[in-house]
Amino acid sequence: LGGSVTKCLLGLILYCEWIIDCVLFHTVAWSVLQSGGSVLDAVEKGCARCEIEQCDGSVGYGGSPDESGETTLDAMIMNGDTMDVGAVADLRRIKNAIGVARAVMERTDHTLLVGESASVFAENMGFIAEDLTTNRSLNTFSQWLKGNCQPNYRKNVFPDPSISCGPYKPRVTLQRRKRVRHMYRHSHDTIGMIAFSQDGHVAAGTSTNGLMHKVPGRVGDSPIVGAGAYADSSAGAAAATGDGDVMMRFLPSYLAVELMRAGADPSAACETAISRIKRHHSEFFGAIICANTTGHYGAACNKSPGFSKFQYMVRDSKSDTPVLKSVDCI
């Protein structure tokens, strides 16, 4: 599947779990571009609205509690002109993760801040500290505890993590056999956005509250440059979603952009990035969107149980409303 947003026209490509939400966030970002705002502004405002609205529970506060019941946030934003990146991971107490990520990019020489120190930095930059827990996340955590903490992401520990909540200790011997990963399509997701301006500027960004019931401190692919997203105004941009623990090992967004730089069509670049992961993890859950500097775009996803089609949204200055696109998984 491929298309075009035509070079020198404003363009936005976005994915998120719920289509109604996608239209809203797309509209917010689009209004920024139409009013003369930068592509960075568009990506930040679009993702921030998703954080405020909590999307489907997979972005923003009050979703995806970890093993201790806490919600933490990951986000990144990238400037395709300068290759500057700002990112945060395991962020606590701050609802506007994408805003903090941009502050990291613009107020420090660093790329990624994590954990409590990232939260302190955010507070020092004027972001308001708030409780990220909600009744919904508390109930989700409570039900998980009642179900013997299933699913969880422990292995090679005792007591047996498949029937117990722990606390866990390391097993003396490691089990080398592959075990089934408890990855459900709705257990986590990300908002990913790519924005193009009339004069060729490109930016990309992501935001998520990560994997539900994750081990505290876990960071997925979303805030990792080249994994969750990548942008280069001389080649294009890409953003990915899915099983971040697997996908971050392959830097699919970086790979797709480099393939487009070498002349690959965006759809082909997306498919190659997915296929590379598929060779090692045949049933992983994942998808990616890609767009190049000529205005063409595409997407690809890996076919896995319960996931055979991936939807994303595109808008340019030729259309009055966002256009929903769909691609069959490979």
Side-chain angles (χ1 to χ4, degrees):
L1 181 72
S4 173
V5 290
T6 309
K7 192 173 182 181
C8 294
L9 294 179
L10 300 179
L12 274 175
I13 303 177
L14 162 72
Y15 64 78
C16 62
E17 182 69 16
W18 300 105
I19 300 306
I20 294 177
D21 288 340
C22 270
V23 173
L24 172 62
F25 313 140
H26 220 289
T27 300
V28 169
W30 184 250
S31 66
V32 172
L33 288 178
Q34 282 196 313
S35 64
S38 70
V39 287
L40 286 171
D41 292 337
V43 168
E44 180 187 0
K45 297 303 182 184
C47 289
R49 186 60 181 266
C50 184
E51 293 170 345
I52 293 170
E53 299 293 336
Q54 302 171 280
C55 287
D56 66 330
S58 67
V59 178
Y61 69 99
S64 302
D66 62 21
E67 282 187 346
S68 65
E70 184 178 15
T71 294
T72 57
L73 308 180
D74 302 338
M76 73 157 285
I77 190 167
M78 184 167 187
N79 185 333
D81 294 341
T82 63
M83 309 307 288
D84 289 336
V85 178
V88 289
D90 194 27
L91 182 70
R92 300 164 178 146
R93 302 191 305 279
I94 309 296
K95 291 182 178 179
N96 185 10
I98 190 72
V100 181
R102 187 168 182 181
V104 171
M105 180 175 68
E106 296 182 340
R107 310 290 181 182
T108 80
D109 288 329
H110 303 313
T111 295
L112 172 65
L113 296 182
V114 301
E116 179 62 21
S117 296
S119 302
V120 172
F121 165 79
E123 292 176 35
N124 290 339
M125 291 297 102
F127 291 87
I128 299 172
E130 302 175 79
D131 189 358
L132 302 187
T133 301
T134 62
N135 290 335
R136 176 181 175 180
S137 64
L138 284 174
N139 182 63
T140 298
F141 179 58
S142 176
Q143 293 302 314
W144 181 71
L145 290 176
K146 290 177 181 177
N148 292 324
C149 302
Q150 302 303 311
N152 64 63
Y153 300 91
R154 303 279 185 165
K155 64 180 182 180
N156 293 315
V157 296
F158 70 89
D160 185 349
S162 67
I163 57 174
S164 172
C165 289
Y168 304 108
K169 301 294 182 182
R171 290 173 58 97
V172 175
T173 58
L174 297 180
Q175 294 179 331
R176 299 296 183 183
R177 60 185 173 83
K178 255 189 175 180
R179 67 183 196 131
V180 177
R181 287 182 60 82
H182 300 287
M183 180 56 58
Y184 303 105
R185 182 182 175 189
H186 297 287
S187 67
H188 85 135
D189 196 20
T190 312
I191 181 173
M193 184 177 291
I194 298 169
F196 294 80
S197 72
Q198 290 177 322
D199 45 8
H201 302 302
V202 180
T206 65
S207 183
T208 184
N209 52 35
L211 181 62
M212 193 177 296
H213 312 311
K214 58 184 175 282
V215 177
R218 178 264 189 186
V219 175
D221 63 326
S222 296
I224 306 302
V225 60
Y230 196 75
D232 185 335
S233 297
S234 68
T241 184
D243 185 348
D245 290 296
V246 168
M247 297 181 73
M248 68 192 301
R249 304 167 193 172
F250 298 87
L251 298 179
S253 295
Y254 173 77
L255 174 60
V257 171
E258 290 308 304
L259 288 169
M260 289 188 289
R261 187 194 308 280
D265 174 86
S267 294
C270 282
E271 290 177 5
T272 298
I274 290 294
S275 295
R276 183 179 176 216
I277 306 172
K278 188 182 183 79
R279 287 200 299 269
H280 298 272
H281 300 273
S282 61
E283 292 191 349
F284 85 97
F285 163 51
I288 185 171
I289 55 174
C290 305
N292 64 16
T293 54
T294 65
H296 291 83
Y297 58 85
C301 55
N302 184 50
K303 191 173 184 179
S304 58
F307 186 58
S308 60
K309 201 176 285 282
F310 177 65
Q311 293 180 317
Y312 62 104
M313 202 159 280
V314 179
R315 188 168 186 174
D316 60 47
S317 55
K318 296 186 299 181
S319 60
D320 293 329
T321 59
V323 178
L324 181 64
K325 299 288 183 177
S326 178
V327 61
D328 292 325
C329 296
I330 57 176

